[in-house]
Amino acid sequence: MSAPLFLVEALPTGDTLILDGPEGHHAATVQRLRVGEELLLADGRGGTAAAVVTAVGRGTLDLRITSRGYVDASVPRLVVVQGIAKGERGELAVQAMTEVGVDEIVPWAASRSVAQWRGDRGVRAREKWAATAREAAKQARRAWLPVVAGSPDESTQTVVRRIAGAAAAFVLHEEAEERLTAAELPSAGEIVLLVGPEGGIAPAELSAFREAGARPVRLGSSVLRTSTAGVAALSVLSTRLDRW
């Protein structure tokens, strides 16, 4: 098994570090790392460091840094505009998309979203998405932490402006004739994927997205749930872009 990864605000400049706080508690108390075991540190912005445990305290680890590295950001950048879903489906989507390599997730207040992010509830819901992405990035040993946009969510008009500035944008739609597996892809910039909520994308939204430059595409003959469509599309793109 590969060494576990822990996220830190900043990587140490010296040869030692005391890992404390929530990450130190998780490493020492939950994962029960012991002296001599190895782990990885990442700042979520591409910087990494390998370390070995030299001492274990109550919720803390003393570490010796053994090597440093940097992972370049992936190009093109993969952005998923995810229609807000009810219950845990949105979090399941965020978790899976993070594990397969999404670079940014945009919570979208679609007209057919059953769940509405309003006031404090919306702030808490977005924070839950961000926390889910953080834990999934650690599980996947990712050096880059995906961005979760929104304050807390984004409107259709904001999404339209995002599409207009993208190198390519695709709307996942069951009635589309073009397949994502055959669509032309850019070599740089942003690729924006739009995933509707449980009720799908409304005709007016689809029209606005198309006018902004997005192309409707499908993945196959099956109709996927909102919690799985994004990860399936990202898998296709990751393969075609040689990320995998």
Side-chain angles (χ1 to χ4, degrees), residues 7-226:
L7 288 167
V8 293
E9 289 297 321
L11 293 170
T13 56
D15 295 332
T16 61
L17 173 73
I18 297 176
L19 185 65
D20 54 12
E23 294 291 77
H25 171 78
H26 188 76
T29 307
V30 179
Q31 293 204 4
R32 296 182 177 276
L33 296 183
R34 295 295 179 252
V35 172
E37 292 193 87
E38 297 180 343
L39 57 81
L40 297 173
L41 302 172
D43 60 9
R45 299 177 297 277
T48 63
V52 62
V53 179
T54 58
V56 179
R58 180 173 294 181
T60 66
L61 295 180
D62 288 6
L63 305 176
R64 176 172 55 83
I65 307 303
T66 56
S67 66
R68 303 173 188 273
Y70 182 80
V71 178
D72 291 328
S74 298
V75 178
R77 197 164 178 266
L78 299 180
V79 179
V80 175
V81 176
Q82 174 70 51
I84 295 173
K86 64 181 180 180
E88 297 181 349
R89 291 180 181 173
E91 293 159 39
L92 290 172
V94 169
Q95 179 182 13
M97 291 191 296
T98 298
E99 290 177 2
V100 300
V102 71
D103 296 303
E104 183 172 354
I105 301 168
V106 180
W108 168 38
S111 63
R112 293 179 176 174
S113 288
V114 175
Q116 300 293 320
W117 288 7
R118 297 289 183 267
D120 292 341
R121 177 186 177 185
V123 172
R124 291 193 299 270
R126 183 197 170 277
E127 289 176 348
K128 201 164 188 178
W129 278 29
T132 299
R134 180 183 177 89
E135 292 307 309
K138 290 166 57 177
Q139 174 66 34
R141 314 297 198 265
R142 289 190 56 174
W144 284 89
L145 183 63
V147 175
V148 178
S151 56
D153 53 20
E154 300 286 6
S155 68
T156 296
Q157 286 305 310
T158 303
V159 173
V160 165
R161 291 193 292 271
R162 186 68 177 262
I163 292 170
F170 303 102
V171 184
L172 300 183
H173 199 278
E174 62 194 70
E175 297 179 359
E177 296 183 359
E178 183 179 9
R179 290 178 177 268
L180 183 59
T181 52
E184 183 178 353
L185 303 179
S187 59
E190 279 189 356
I191 297 177
V192 176
L193 284 168
L194 294 109
V195 181
E198 295 96 329
I201 296 174
E205 293 167 335
L206 180 60
S207 178
F209 295 157
R210 294 184 71 166
E211 289 178 6
R215 291 148 53 192
V217 295
R218 63 190 176 95
L219 294 168
S221 58
S222 300
V223 178
L224 302 182
R225 290 180 180 270
T226 186

Side-chain angles (χ1 to χ4, degrees), residues 236-244:
V236 171
L237 292 178
S238 294
T239 301
R240 294 194 58 200
L241 295 169
D242 292 329
R243 287 193 178 195
W244 288 9

